[in-house]
Amino acid sequence: RRLLASPMRHSSVIGGTLLAYSLVVFMQVILLFAVGAVVFKMSVGDSPVALVVTTLFTAIAAASLGLLVGAVAKTSKQADTVGMILGFVLAALGGSILPLYDAEGFMGILSNLTPHAHALQAYRGVMVHGSGMVEVLPHITILAVFAVAFFGIAVWRFKFD
């Protein structure tokens, strides 16, 4: 409430929140990959830049989606419920269970309309196929578009009262 009473623009207040949560998500994923690489000898690919940039834009898209859910929810309980359901549905559609983004027809198209599919394809490219920044840039760009759209809708729908 104090920040909202300040002369800062509302988008700046939400942007600060986005930055904080994005940083938390980014550090969590980097820690997971570091532990996986050191303890379990998991391959993280040949392009650390592509891995870090993919992680950064995945974190920003995830935090932006969280802000959007928070902006449209009426209560914190509703935000928790919607966020959990949305997370499971998007993860399943995006290919976290089965690689639906490679499927033919409607399911493949639907899967590729989720940020999860593009994050997974970028990670698979970097970590499995040895892709570099140029090869995963289309997926990173789509993650950026998702992040901008989610953030824009969150700012538009957020109730500042």
Side-chain angles (χ1 to χ4, degrees):
R1 294 212 179 266
R2 287 184 204 147
L3 283 175
L4 294 176
S6 72
M8 293 174 46
R9 293 186 358 220
H10 293 147
S11 60
S12 297
V13 173
I14 295 176
T17 304
L18 172 69
L19 181 63
Y21 284 110
S22 295
L23 183 61
V24 169
V25 172
F26 177 79
M27 295 306 295
Q28 287 175 334
V29 174
I30 292 298
L31 179 64
L32 285 172
F33 285 155
V35 168
V38 172
V39 175
F40 300 109
K41 307 296 184 223
M42 177 182 83
S43 171
V44 291
D46 298 327
S47 178
V49 172
L51 185 66
V52 167
V53 173
T54 298
T55 301
L56 179 64
F57 280 93
T58 300
I60 294 169
S64 295
L65 180 57
L67 286 173
L68 172 59
V69 169
V72 299
K74 305 247 188 280
T75 65
S76 62
K77 183 163 178 69
Q78 185 183 42
D80 288 343
T81 303
V82 169
M84 179 116 31
I85 292 169
L86 190 60
F88 282 124
V89 169
L90 288 176
L93 285 176
S96 295
I97 298 169
L98 295 170
L100 295 176
Y101 48 79
D102 283 338
E104 298 289 326
F106 177 73
M107 287 310 292
I109 293 169
L110 185 61
S111 178
N112 279 292
L113 293 174
T114 68
H116 295 64
H118 295 283
L120 288 170
Q121 289 178 77
Y123 281 127
R124 183 178 68 166
V126 172
M127 298 168 72
V128 176
H129 300 297
S131 299
M133 191 63 198
V134 173
E135 292 87 4
V136 297
L137 192 57
H139 297 295
I140 292 169
T141 302
I142 292 170
L143 286 169
V145 169
F146 274 114
V148 168
F150 294 154
F151 180 78
I153 296 169
V155 169
W156 171 59
R157 296 288 300 161
F158 194 79
K159 305 268 189 286
F160 293 99
D161 45 313

